[in-house]
Amino acid sequence: MPFNPEDMGAIWLTLKLASVVTLILLIIGTPLAWWLSQTRSWLKGPITVIVALPLVLPPTVIGFYLLMLMGPNGPVGQFTQAAGIGLLPFTFWGLVVGSVCYSLPFVVQPLYNAMSAVGARPLEVAATLRAGPWQRFFTVVLPLCKTGFLTAAVLGFAHTVGEFGVVLMIGGNIPQETRLVSVQIYDHVEALNYSQAHWLSATMLVFSFVVLLALYSLTAAKKSVGGQHDKD
């Protein structure tokens, strides 16, 4: 078998982290993307920039500041200690916090694009049928944004799987607790164990290829269906 028990543990932990983070990101990102797509507030610009910061900031910068915030002297760390939760750095839930912050734009942006494309007309029609705001959102917006939600979920999951800098800064390298696939590959390379590094790296390469192929195929299919509807 190409994977040893430590590799399998890292793979399982990575999939667990990506699943939890993707779920949290969809819960957080949906109302945020909806607000950004509808608001005319002056706060839209600054909040959009804050959401997009992980796209340009080095992961180690994000990891460093999150480590300071969640550390024993940081405001988040003091709150979690006072609440009896303890410190988050170098724990699984610390990785969750860091991954949510780092992968946020990869979920919010597809949702924002999909919700912006809905336009005002469908909502106005629903309003004339006496549908309330919540009803309009769940019966009009969500069905029209299915592809956006799928894209957001896939990108959020895949991006979390591939993280390295943020998770290493916040989680360290604790077996069965914070050692993810990316960190495990790094360990293999440091130990000159290129065979194991190759197997894990090849797995990540195939995973990334499949994800991108699925996304591009989905986008192409949506455009094809949309174009056919326009002709009809």
Side-chain angles (χ1 to χ4, degrees):
M1 185 176 180
F3 300 130
N4 59 37
E6 289 186 351
D7 293 338
M8 293 303 299
I11 291 173
W12 162 247
L13 188 62
T14 301
L15 295 176
K16 177 183 175 183
L17 175 68
S19 300
V20 172
V21 168
T22 302
L23 178 61
I24 294 174
L25 282 173
L26 288 174
I27 294 173
I28 295 174
T30 298
L32 178 58
W34 177 245
W35 181 81
L36 289 173
S37 69
Q38 301 298 308
T39 187
R40 295 183 180 180
S41 170
W42 65 272
L43 289 172
K44 178 178 179 178
I47 292 178
T48 301
V49 170
I50 292 173
V51 170
L53 273 178
L55 295 174
V56 295
L57 277 178
T60 49
V61 173
I62 300 173
F64 171 74
Y65 282 112
L66 287 175
L67 192 60
M68 294 297 99
L69 285 172
M70 296 189 296
N73 298 319
V76 176
Q78 292 178 356
F79 171 77
T80 55
Q81 289 181 96
I85 301 173
L87 294 174
L88 293 178
F90 309 109
T91 68
F92 174 79
W93 289 106
L95 289 182
V96 170
V97 173
S99 299
V100 165
C101 293
Y102 189 47
S103 296
L104 185 62
F106 292 87
V107 171
V108 172
Q109 193 60 51
L111 293 179
Y112 171 79
N113 292 338
M115 291 175 179
S116 297
V118 170
R121 182 60 179 168
L123 298 176
E124 291 173 352
V125 172
T128 61
L129 298 175
R130 298 183 180 180
W134 286 103
Q135 192 175 6
R136 292 197 297 269
F137 181 78
F138 283 103
T139 61
V140 178
V141 176
L142 291 188
L144 291 176
C145 296
K146 287 187 297 185
T147 303
F149 275 94
L150 180 59
T151 301
V154 171
L155 284 179
F157 187 92
H159 190 256
T160 303
V161 167
E163 291 175 13
F164 177 72
V166 169
V167 298
L168 190 60
M169 289 286 289
I170 297 176
N173 189 3
I174 305 173
Q176 308 302 322
E177 183 68 27
T178 62
R179 182 182 292 173
L180 304 181
V181 169
S182 55
V183 179
Q184 183 74 355
I185 293 173
Y186 180 77
D187 284 349
H188 284 321
V189 173
E190 273 201 324
L192 303 181
N193 190 356
Y194 294 135
S195 176
Q196 290 300 114
H198 163 70
W199 279 109
L200 280 177
S201 299
T203 301
M204 293 287 286
L205 179 61
V206 171
F207 172 78
S208 301
F209 177 83
V210 170
V211 166
L212 290 176
L213 181 62
L215 279 178
Y216 288 140
S217 300
L218 179 66
T219 303
K222 181 182 177 183
K223 289 182 178 179
S224 176
V225 172
Q228 185 64 39
H229 286 169
D230 291 340
K231 291 180 180 179
D232 294 342

